[in-house]
Amino acid sequence: MEQREVPGDAVMTRIGQAVMLLHAGDREEARNRFGTIWSEIGESGEALHRCTLAHYMADSQDDPGDELAWDLRALTAAEGLAEGPAEDPAAEHRDVPAVRAFFPSLHLNLAADYLKLQRFEAARIHLDRAWDAVGAVEGDGYGGAVRAAIRRLEQRLRGGAAGE
């Protein structure tokens, strides 16, 4: 998922700073900062914040079960935002187009989590959902990287499921 900076959005700025730590290899400090932000925004925070934070928190986990739990939180937040408000289903939140572009990556991550846990059927379901959602991403660098990652996981899944 591409981390999106929103001008004046202090939460996204803090998430971005923790992401930089994660990408620099300081997983523990990144995980600590993500945890602090999560404790502040919680389950009722803005969906884009929860989705982005949970996605990167998953990447900072050492245990595959914990990684899965955070990736599921990210997907739940994204789905809640994409569905729109119950009182006006036609109203689209400003972040919905960006979140739709996250779905291939979110499902790809879940497929990878399930593959690590040798839950091949669940991995297949999410890999298929990643393929179904990939049309929402453009053919740019991000879109190309997501498509390539889906293809690589497809090959790994075929190899892993064959070994069942």
Side-chain angles (χ1 to χ4, degrees):
M1 178 189 306
E2 224 175 308
Q3 195 259 327
R4 197 177 73 128
E5 188 67 30
V6 178
D9 188 334
V11 173
M12 289 301 278
T13 298
R14 291 173 60 210
I15 292 170
Q17 291 167 342
V19 168
M20 286 190 281
L21 289 169
L22 179 63
H23 289 166
D26 194 347
R27 292 166 55 91
E28 184 176 353
E29 182 60 24
R31 189 170 40 244
N32 290 340
R33 289 193 189 191
F34 291 139
T36 298
I37 299 167
W38 186 264
S39 68
E40 293 169 9
I41 66 171
E43 295 288 336
S44 60
E46 279 192 40
L48 183 62
H49 293 161
R50 287 183 291 118
C51 179
T52 305
L53 178 59
H55 169 74
Y56 286 110
M57 179 63 117
D59 291 345
S60 73
Q61 299 303 304
D62 297 324
D63 179 82
D66 293 339
E67 184 176 2
L68 172 63
W70 282 105
D71 278 330
L72 287 168
R73 284 183 187 104
L75 181 63
T76 298
E79 288 174 338
L81 181 59
E83 290 169 4
E87 63 276 4
D88 185 5
E92 184 170 273
H93 189 276
R94 71 183 186 282
D95 294 323
V96 169
V99 170
R100 282 194 185 119
F102 293 161
F103 277 105
S105 179
L106 294 171
H107 284 294
L108 173 64
N109 288 349
L110 284 163
D113 296 342
Y114 283 121
L115 185 58
K116 287 178 196 171
L117 296 167
Q118 298 186 1
R119 294 176 56 187
F120 301 113
E121 187 174 324
R124 167 52 53 203
I125 289 168
H126 283 283
L127 191 59
D128 289 346
R129 289 179 183 163
W131 279 123
D132 291 345
V134 80
V137 297
E138 296 184 21
D140 58 6
Y142 172 71
V146 170
R147 286 176 178 84
I150 293 171
R151 283 192 294 275
R152 284 191 304 273
L153 191 64
E154 181 78 49
Q155 291 174 342
R156 284 183 49 214
L157 182 58
R158 284 187 190 147
E164 284 184 87

